[in-house]
């Protein structure tokens, strides 16, 4: 029975590590596309990974920063365009 608990703990840690990596990757993608959707998702993923004690704490923190940056980029570009959506060029 102890083995099952140990295996479950390792699975939970792997899940947290996966969330940390996913938050980092989606944060990078969110800088270019879908930042209104990906920004909040990345912030939640990074926070959950940190709360679950991920071994990839640096990636989770980078993901958290990128999630906030996604929303800042959206705010800056949307305010320059005057609408919630933004485009490059014209």
């Amino acid at each position: 029975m102890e083995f099952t608990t140990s295996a479950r703990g390792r699975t939970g840690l792997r899940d947290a590590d996966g969330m940390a990596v996913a938050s980092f990757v989606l944060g990078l993608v969110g800088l270019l596309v879908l930042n209104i959707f990906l920004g909040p998702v990345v912030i939640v993923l990074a926070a959950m990974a940190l709360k679950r004690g991920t071994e990839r704490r640096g990636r989770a923190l980078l993901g958290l920063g990128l999630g906030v940056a996604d929303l800042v980029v959206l705010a800056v570009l949307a305010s320059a365009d005057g609408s919630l959506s933004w485009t490059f060029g014209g």
Side-chain angles (χ1 to χ4, degrees):
M1 211 50 130
E2 186 176 335
F3 177 75
T4 308
T5 305
S6 177
R8 188 177 304 158
R10 282 183 291 187
T11 302
L13 188 58
R14 265 189 298 182
D15 290 345
D17 291 347
M19 282 188 259
V21 172
S23 71
F24 175 70
V25 171
L26 290 176
L28 287 174
V29 171
L31 288 173
L32 300 174
V33 294
L34 297 174
N35 40 11
I36 194 167
F37 172 72
L38 288 177
V41 169
V42 168
I43 291 170
V44 169
L45 276 174
M48 287 176 58
L50 289 169
K51 183 174 176 154
R52 291 185 180 187
T54 180
E55 290 181 354
R56 298 176 187 254
R57 185 171 170 80
R59 290 240 171 92
L61 290 172
L62 283 171
L64 187 62
L66 286 168
V68 171
D70 290 348
L71 297 177
V72 169
V73 165
L74 174 67
V76 168
L77 293 175
S79 67
D81 190 16
S83 69
L84 186 58
S85 64
W86 56 270
T87 59
F88 290 112

